[in-house]
């Protein structure tokens, strides 16, 4: 990704020359780790009797899902892993068509969750308009999957277009364009450890 630094004969690249201009830290890596530990403890305390299934909302929630997996492992909890994709973001919300929810392990995967023995934990990196979570909650409700909780690392303040309930939240943040911890700007910056504001114009 552009500018390179030499260290011990290894060429390292930095985020600084990717498109846009990185600005202030909104949530540091250390704060993220603290949020993850607290969120895992909440899951362990709130759903002690059920098998957890962490359902990553692709792609941005991959890092949080992995971090939660290990934090839960530290608490002696072994969640199942699943992932889903909500496609046609934008276009479908504006049209009459319902955005499609697709599970990585097969389109009938939700069927395994109907008996309520598992707690489906939907993992999101960020809640912005709230539409993605609305679509996912509606999907599960329509398929009679009721043991569902939502975990999100971040929720923007004051921009939700629909009423959305996040059961376990890391932090509320101002309405700025942020990258890092799975969040991208033009598919860049997902691996940035701190969540930072990106000014795309620079
Ligand atoms: C982002 C983010 C959330 C969603 C939140 O995903 O990861 O899933 O948008 O926005 P909303 O609350 O307005 O619905 P995106 O569609 O950009 O895909 P990505 O995760 O692959 O980056």
């Amino acid at each position: 990704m552009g500018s390179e630094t030499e260290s011990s004969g290894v060429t390292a690249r930095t985020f600084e020359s990717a498109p846009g201009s990185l600005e202030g830290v909104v949530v540091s890596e250390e704060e993220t780790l603290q949020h993850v530990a607290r969120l895992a403890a909440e899951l362990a305390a709130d759903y002690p009797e059920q098998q957890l299934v962490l359902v990553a909302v692709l792609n941005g929630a991959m890092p949080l899902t992995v971090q939660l997996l290990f934090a839960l492992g530290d608490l002696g909890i072994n969640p199942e892993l699943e992932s889903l994709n909500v496609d046609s973001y934008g276009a479908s919300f504006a049209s009459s068509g319902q955005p499609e929810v697709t599970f990585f392990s097969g389109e009938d995967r939700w069927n395994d969750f109907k008996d309520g023995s598992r707690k489906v934990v939907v993992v999101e990196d960020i809640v912005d308009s709230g539409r993605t979570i609305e679509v996912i909650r509606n999907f599960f409700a329509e398929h009679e999957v009721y043991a569902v909780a939502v975990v999100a690392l971040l929720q923007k303040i004051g921009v939700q277009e629909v009423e959305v309930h996040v059961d376990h939240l890391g932090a509320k943040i101002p309405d700025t364009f942020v990258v890092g911890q799975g969040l991208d700007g033009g598919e860049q910056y997902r691996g940035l450890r701190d969540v930072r504001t990106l000014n795309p114009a620079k």
Side-chain angles (χ1 to χ4, degrees):
M1 221 183 264
S3 81
E4 299 175 358
T5 55
E6 295 288 339
S7 169
S8 309
V10 177
T11 300
R13 293 168 179 244
T14 74
F15 287 103
E16 301 301 336
S17 65
S21 167
L22 277 176
E23 297 180 350
V25 174
V26 179
V27 181
S28 69
E29 179 186 21
E30 190 182 355
E31 288 169 323
T32 296
L33 291 172
Q34 289 168 359
H35 292 314
V36 169
R38 174 177 51 81
L39 292 169
E42 285 181 19
L43 294 174
D46 287 0
Y47 317 115
E49 304 298 332
Q50 289 162 295
Q51 170 70 42
L52 300 182
V53 188
L54 298 181
V55 181
V57 181
L58 298 175
N59 293 309
M62 284 178 166
L64 177 61
T65 305
V66 171
Q67 291 175 84
L68 278 175
L69 178 70
F70 287 121
L72 286 164
D74 290 342
L75 300 173
I77 294 169
N78 285 298
E80 294 177 34
L81 277 183
E82 184 50 70
S83 56
L84 62 75
N85 185 52
V86 180
D87 53 355
S88 303
Y89 184 85
S92 290
F93 289 133
S95 73
S96 56
Q98 181 71 2
E100 242 178 77
V101 173
T102 313
F103 288 90
F104 179 76
S105 301
E107 63 177 300
D108 293 338
R109 175 64 166 145
W110 53 268
N111 213 20
D112 299 335
F113 309 146
K114 281 178 79 164
D115 68 5
S117 61
R118 294 174 174 91
K119 188 79 184 184
V120 177
V121 179
V122 176
V123 183
E124 260 290 27
D125 50 355
I126 192 164
V127 177
D128 193 334
S129 72
R131 298 276 180 194
T132 302
I133 289 301
E134 181 187 52
V135 167
I136 293 167
R137 281 202 185 273
N138 286 345
F139 176 89
F140 281 122
E142 283 163 16
H143 290 82
E144 300 177 335
V145 177
Y146 299 119
V148 176
V150 172
V151 176
L153 179 62
L154 305 170
Q155 180 171 3
K156 286 190 179 177
I157 298 167
V159 296
Q160 277 81 65
E161 296 167 9
V162 292
E163 206 167 308
V164 63
H165 179 61
V166 178
D167 302 270
H168 306 279
L169 179 64
K172 294 199 173 189
I173 62 166
D175 180 23
T176 57
F177 192 92
V178 287
V179 294
Q181 287 288 338
L183 291 153
D184 75 307
E187 289 300 329
Q188 305 287 309
Y189 300 105
R190 289 194 197 268
L192 189 63
R193 292 175 185 271
D194 294 330
V195 175
R196 292 177 63 177
T197 302
L198 183 73
N199 183 341
K202 289 187 184 171

